[in-house]
Amino acid sequence: MAGGAVKYRHLSRNSSARQALLRGLVTQLVQYEHIQTTYAKAKEAQRMADKLITLAKRNNEPCRRSAQGILYTPHVLLPKLFGELRNRYLAREGGYTRVVRTEPKNTYDQGESAILEFVDGPKDSRFMMTAKTLARDRLLGRQSTPVTNQNVKKVTQFRGQEDLEAMVQRFMAMQTSLDGAPSEEVNDGEATYMARMESLAAEGMAAEIVPPSAKKTADGPRQRTR
């Protein structure tokens, strides 16, 4: 690129529009603790979100004013930021957010999508996936892999073992309460549902591909043959 490497992504916007976009993403992140957007926007919003948590941990008047200038609804979210979120990350030195790549939200443009979330929160994806893996291993009666054990160590470092065990029990109860149906029948039902959804999607795409002139010809009145 001409002019050398840039220090941040411009996101195809000027400075004010880019700042407004990131402020909106961070406001939604503080409110819901889990948002989905493009990968580039998630990485840029992650920097601002980490800065916001740092301001909350300092907890003085200048930091409150700076945080108020970032959030679009400070009268609603400042108590949560300087209360629940500050207490959650008070012992953590960094790494308050996580960006997880996902499948593209739009099937047609195949843009890179990602999830931006707060770690150790109620919607922590790694925490839930680790709990689900442990539940599956217990139901199948097998030992967990070294990768699973490493993930358990990571997710329970600041959150504790009790929350993980409670979520594992919830996943095990959900799995055993599927009306006692065998796994083969469940898989067949999922396959039938997916086949039906793909058939409907194919019909919709075919309707968009057919030109209007062909539709008029096909829908026009037919002449009787004697």
Side-chain angles (χ1 to χ4, degrees), residues 65-151:
R65 293 180 181 178
S66 299
Q68 186 175 0
I70 294 176
L71 298 174
Y72 275 122
T73 55
H75 58 285
V76 177
L77 299 178
L78 275 183
K80 179 180 181 180
L81 177 63
F82 286 89
E84 177 185 351
L85 296 179
R86 177 179 180 272
N87 296 331
R88 183 190 302 171
Y89 302 117
L90 202 58
R92 183 185 283 269
E93 296 298 330
Y96 315 114
T97 57
R98 180 187 298 118
V99 175
V100 182
R101 289 180 181 268
T102 60
E103 294 183 354
K105 294 178 62 177
N106 194 334
T107 309
Y108 299 100
D109 63 5
Q110 294 294 312
E112 289 185 299
S113 299
I115 291 175
L116 176 61
E117 62 186 4
F118 281 122
V119 300
D120 297 337
K123 298 181 180 180
D124 189 345
S125 60
R126 176 176 290 182
F127 189 88
M128 289 188 288
M129 292 302 297
T130 303
K132 191 172 184 179
T133 304
L134 288 176
R136 182 193 60 188
D137 292 341
R138 293 183 184 181
L139 290 174
L140 296 178
R142 64 185 185 189
Q143 295 183 351
S144 300
T145 62
V147 176
T148 302
N149 295 331
Q150 185 68 20
N151 288 332

Side-chain angles (χ1 to χ4, degrees), residues 31-49:
Q31 181 177 358
Y32 299 107
E33 301 192 20
H34 181 99
I35 61 174
Q36 186 173 8
T37 180
T38 62
Y39 179 75
K41 293 176 183 177
K43 292 298 289 185
E44 292 302 312
Q46 183 183 28
R47 300 168 63 180
M48 184 177 289

Side-chain angles (χ1 to χ4, degrees), residues 204-220:
M205 293 178 63
E208 295 177 359
I209 294 174
V210 176
S213 59
K215 290 183 180 179
K216 292 181 181 179
T217 304
D219 297 337

Side-chain angles (χ1 to χ4, degrees), residues 152-198:
V152 170
K153 182 179 179 181
K154 290 181 179 179
V155 299
T156 58
Q157 183 177 1
F158 295 96
R159 193 165 179 174
Q161 191 72 27
E162 294 78 9
D163 294 342
L164 181 64
E165 186 63 29
M167 186 166 288
V168 169
Q169 295 299 327
R170 286 174 54 189
F171 278 122
M172 294 178 65
M174 291 171 57
Q175 185 66 26
T176 55
S177 64
L178 293 177
D179 300 332
S183 59
E184 291 79 5
E185 296 180 2
V186 175
N187 293 334
D188 292 342
E190 293 179 355
T192 304
Y193 174 77
M194 293 300 297
R196 178 59 179 167
M197 295 301 294
E198 291 178 359

